[in-house]
Amino acid sequence: MDEGKRFLFTSESVTEGHPDKMADQISDAILDDLLRQDPESRVAVETLLTTGLAFVAGEVTTKGYADVQNIVRDTVKDIGYTDARMGFDYETCGVITAIHEQAPDIAMGVDADKGRHLDQGAGDQGLMFGYATSETKEMLPLTLMLTHKITMRLAEVRKKKILPYLRPDGKSQVTVEYIDETPQKVTSVVVAAQHEEHVDYEILREDIIHHVVEPVIPKEWITEDTCYYINETGRFVMGGPSADTGLTGRKIIVDTYGGVGSHGGGCFSGKDPSKVDRSASYMARYIAKNIVGAGLAQRVEVQVAYAIGYPEPVSFMVDTLGTGTVSEEVIEKAVKKHFDLRPRAIIERLDLLRPIYRKTAAYGHFGRNDPDFTWEKLDMVDVLKDECGV
């Protein structure tokens, strides 16, 4: 009897102190501050971090005012870079800004009462994907959920001083063995945790396994053959922006589905929801999750694409990856009937003009049990079941 297809798959995550994630959080903290003052703010902000310097640039049109200097410093302080010995700290880092208004030609196509179509058009062309799977309760790949939990736990044991010698930067990877798309066991766990200089490697390795990995990976996934790769260089003292330049939007796979499925290429952080890179990706996840929740598929990928300035999507696709219980045409018809994919309709349905974005900028935009993550709701399950005759 054929045993089925066996393969290994790996996903990674990074902590909030990773320089790229720091950049994402700063960009989204600026967005939040402007949305708090003016919900119709148009924001596209990028942050670059390097030794002793934060450089913030982008396009902003708003009735509010963002104190970028203080937002950067407050965000860096909250993340945990509070000591110059780490190579980067909130008090001494330089902050440079280069922000100007959104181009009027773009604004004309995005404002609801202007442009050719007299409706809010997409803020740019592009393609966005949503994904969901039944393999975890969060409807995300097991590899991604486990590695996010490890990085979240790294931050927790640092902040609670369970492991007081840890510093903010860190990364993890989890590899899972699958047979016929069903997870079987964790084969390897990789953790890189920034630490103070005096820490003995063997103590650190034992602490990370005992206080970080074991509390978050259920025992049923671990076997005697599971391999642990902890700080394999033997030393991780220099980290953060002093060791590696950080940039907004460079961890898009960490942000989404851990390498499973497709990605349109656009990042989320620093962008207000008129940018479909963000809002339509959230909507695609919302649709995908409700399709799986309704039992219409075990795994599904949704694609939507837009033309700049045009309100309706130029294409929409549902791919059940061979797991559908009804045809993809039936599901697509049901989705088009009950989900309005125009940018303004997405913004209203998911209530996106709120200052909720900084907390999305670390540990993934999906799979989070938080009422502000409206795209994670399963409130359309019964509607889809009825429409598809399930």
Side-chain angles (χ1 to χ4, degrees):
M1 182 176 179
D2 188 1
E3 186 181 353
K5 181 183 177 183
R6 182 187 299 266
F7 63 93
L8 301 180
F9 193 84
T10 303
S11 294
E12 76 157 341
S13 181
V14 300
T15 66
E16 63 209 62
H18 185 282
D20 292 331
K21 277 287 135 210
M22 291 174 66
D24 286 342
Q25 289 169 88
I26 289 169
S27 296
D28 272 339
I30 293 167
L31 170 63
D32 281 352
D33 190 63
L34 291 171
L35 289 176
R36 197 173 289 113
Q37 301 171 64
D38 175 11
E40 296 293 338
S41 294
R42 297 285 161 72
V43 182
V45 172
E46 314 282 349
T47 302
L48 181 145
L49 299 167
T50 189
T51 305
L53 179 65
F55 183 77
V56 180
E59 300 80 48
V60 171
T61 300
T62 182
K63 297 175 183 176
Y65 170 76
D67 185 345
V68 175
Q69 285 266 346
N70 281 330
I71 291 171
V72 170
R73 296 186 192 283
D74 288 346
T75 304
V76 173
K77 180 182 180 182
D78 186 55
I79 290 169
Y81 286 96
T82 58
D83 190 328
R85 290 176 298 175
M86 298 181 189
F88 195 95
D89 74 286
Y90 77 101
E91 290 183 301
T92 64
C93 68
V95 181
I96 298 174
T97 61
I99 295 175
H100 54 275
E101 285 190 341
Q102 183 182 53
D105 291 350
I106 296 175
M108 182 173 67
V110 179
D111 292 342
D113 57 347
K114 298 177 183 178
R116 295 183 61 234
H117 303 287
L118 301 181
D119 190 1
Q120 180 167 336
D124 200 353
Q125 72 174 48
L127 52 145
M128 300 86 210
F129 290 91
Y131 179 82
T133 174
S134 60
E135 72 183 65
T136 63
K137 64 182 177 62
E138 296 89 356
M139 297 189 186
L140 287 177
L142 178 65
T143 50
L144 182 65
M145 292 311 305
L146 293 180
T147 193
H148 276 329
K149 288 177 180 179
I150 289 173
T151 51
M152 292 175 76
R153 179 65 178 169
L154 272 177
E156 182 181 22
V157 297
R158 170 176 60 88
K159 292 178 178 180
K160 290 183 176 179
K161 301 191 183 304
I162 297 169
L163 301 180
Y165 57 78
L166 291 184
R167 289 177 173 177
D169 200 355
K171 305 174 77 171
S172 75
Q173 282 183 183
V174 173
T175 301
V176 170
E177 180 181 270
Y178 287 76
I179 298 178
D180 282 341
E181 307 294 342
T182 302
Q184 304 295 312
K185 62 183 179 180
V186 171
T187 62
S188 68
V189 178
V190 179
V191 179
Q194 188 189 14
H195 58 86
E196 294 179 359
E197 191 159 3
H198 68 273
V199 180
D200 177 79
Y201 172 76
E202 293 300 330
I203 292 175
L204 179 141
R205 186 179 191 279
E206 183 178 337
D207 281 349
I208 294 296
I209 293 173
H210 179 64
H211 292 287
V212 176
V213 177
E214 290 179 350
V216 300
I217 298 186
K219 290 181 179 179
E220 61 263 30
W221 296 115
I222 300 296
T223 73
E224 61 182 13
D225 297 323
T226 301
C227 296
Y228 299 95
Y229 303 93
I230 312 297
N231 282 32
E232 284 297 310
T233 66
R235 177 182 168 91
F236 187 4
V237 173
M238 180 175 287
S242 66
D244 185 14
T245 299
L247 187 65
T248 298
R250 200 153 55 183
K251 284 289 179 282
I252 57 177
I253 301 304
V254 172
D255 285 343
T256 53
Y257 305 108
V260 177
S262 308
H263 196 292
C267 78
F268 304 154
S269 290
K271 297 176 181 177
D272 76 87
S274 72
K275 281 74 174 173
V276 285
D277 277 336
R278 179 166 227 156
S279 54
S281 293
Y282 289 175
M283 190 65 164
R285 162 64 175 174
Y286 177 50
I287 293 168
K289 190 173 181 183
N290 276 272
I291 289 172
V292 171
L296 304 179
Q298 291 182 327
R299 293 178 292 120
V300 68
E301 184 171 81
V302 170
Q303 188 203 55
V304 61
Y306 293 87
I308 187 169
Y310 189 72
E312 298 284 350
V314 298
S315 73
F316 176 76
M317 177 206 71
V318 171
D319 183 357
T320 59
L321 305 167
T323 69
T325 58
V326 298
S327 74
E328 290 159 350
E329 291 78 10
V330 168
I331 299 173
E332 285 183 10
K333 183 177 179 182
V335 170
K336 289 176 181 178
K337 180 177 179 180
H338 294 284
F339 294 83
D340 191 337
L341 295 174
R342 294 173 301 156
R344 174 54 61 176
I346 293 173
I347 290 168
E348 291 175 353
R349 180 160 195 162
L350 299 181
D351 195 14
L352 296 180
L353 296 179
R354 296 172 295 138
I356 59 171
Y357 294 106
R358 189 201 148 177
K359 61 183 173 181
T360 70
Y363 313 116
H365 292 247
F366 308 126
R368 308 272 287 277
N369 184 21
D370 185 316
D372 284 334
F373 288 57
T374 52
W375 48 93
E376 291 296 307
K377 294 188 296 184
L378 286 168
D379 56 349
M380 293 297 290
V381 165
D382 290 338
V383 172
L384 289 175
K385 283 182 177 180
D386 290 344
E387 193 67 37
C388 295
V390 174

